[in-house]
């Protein structure tokens, strides 16, 4: 489970930074508290499905799947 959280956290931070957003700004766009963004990026919380979709929309991604790239790889 930790590797799943770790990869999601890396993806979230990379997409947020690429968008030029702070944790606070992304939180405002997504109607989430900035501490929620921080907890996700520090691997201290696993996101709910609704949160993944909300973050993807807030980041302007074409699909929530972009936040899940590499999660759970490699498949055994």
């Amino acid at each position: 489970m930790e590797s799943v959280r770790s990869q999601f956290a890396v993806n979230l931070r990379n997409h947020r930074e690429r968008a030029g957003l702070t944790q606070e700004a992304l939180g405002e766009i997504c109607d989430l508290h900035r501490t929620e963004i921080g907890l996700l990026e520090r691997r201290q919380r696993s996101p709910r499905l609704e949160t993944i979709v909300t973050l993807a929309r807030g980041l302007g991604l074409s699909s929530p799947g972009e936040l899940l790239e590499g999660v759970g790889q490699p498949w055994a």
Side-chain angles (χ1 to χ4, degrees), residues 1-62:
M1 182 60 106
E2 182 60 30
S3 65
V4 171
R5 262 192 224 155
S6 293
Q7 186 61 55
F8 177 82
V10 167
N11 293 346
L12 176 58
R13 176 171 284 143
N14 287 341
H15 283 292
R16 178 180 60 76
E17 289 177 348
R18 215 172 289 137
L21 297 170
T22 63
Q23 290 179 352
E24 186 171 5
L26 180 58
E28 287 176 18
I29 291 167
C30 296
D31 197 27
L32 296 169
H33 198 277
R34 69 172 172 74
T35 57
E36 175 74 9
I37 307 298
L39 290 170
L40 292 168
E41 288 188 0
R42 288 189 310 276
R43 303 176 311 269
Q44 294 176 328
R45 182 169 290 169
S46 294
R48 296 180 343 190
L49 178 58
E50 293 85 358
T51 303
I52 295 170
V53 172
T54 298
L55 288 167
R57 284 184 184 144
L59 290 165
L61 303 178
S62 60

